[in-house]
């Protein structure tokens, strides 16, 4: 059975990371994270993340007293931050 190129590339990348000893987690991009988990993805403190949220650098929504951030927004911010550092 032929494998679509996108699936092949994904499996190739997963195997590459596993060979390096990296952990792999598959999570839907639309998943919402609490602030602590989002901070862990960005490798920053939770209080530092909250400053970004209040400044409007990362979109979020409130659920009662809790903040929820879409994983895709966290990853987009991480990519923007990395590109800025490279420049």
């Amino acid at each position: 059975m032929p494998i679509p190129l996108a699936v092949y590339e994904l499996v190739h990348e997963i195997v590459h990371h596993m060979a390096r000893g990296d952990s792999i987690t598959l999570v839907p991009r639309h998943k919402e994270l609490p602030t602590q988990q989002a901070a862990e993805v960005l490798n920053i403190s939770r209080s530092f993340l909250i400053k970004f949220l209040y400044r409007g650098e990362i979109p979020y929504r409130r659920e009662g007293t809790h903040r929820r951030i879409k994983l895709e927004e966290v990853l987009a911010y991480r990519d923007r931050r990395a590109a800025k550092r490279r420049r």
Side-chain angles (χ1 to χ4, degrees), residues 47-79:
S47 59
F48 201 57
L49 171 69
I50 290 171
K51 290 178 187 177
F52 292 142
L53 300 180
Y54 286 147
R55 289 194 300 223
E57 295 183 34
I58 303 173
Y60 70 100
R61 71 175 185 89
R62 292 194 76 101
E63 186 176 281
T65 60
H66 302 281
R67 296 171 199 89
R68 297 289 183 241
I69 309 157
K70 287 185 180 179
L71 175 61
E72 62 189 333
E73 297 291 351
V74 174
L75 297 176
Y77 178 78
R78 183 189 64 185
D79 293 345

Side-chain angles (χ1 to χ4, degrees), residues 1 4 18-20 23-24 26 28 31 33-34 40 43 50-51 55 59-62 65 70 77 82 87:
M1 171 186 284
M18 291 174 69
R20 291 184 4 196
S23 62
I24 302 296
L26 296 177
K31 178 175 175 57
L33 305 175
E40 290 170 5
N43 199 28
I50 290 171
K51 290 178 187 177
R55 289 194 300 223
Y60 70 100
R61 71 175 185 89
R62 292 194 76 101
T65 60
K70 287 185 180 179
Y77 178 78
R87 280 181 286 188

Side-chain angles (χ1 to χ4, degrees), residues 1 11 16 20-21 30 33 36 42 44 52 56 73:
M1 171 186 284
V11 171
H16 171 74
R20 291 184 4 196
H30 65 275
L33 305 175
Q36 184 60 47
L42 295 173
I44 59 175
F52 292 142
E73 297 291 351

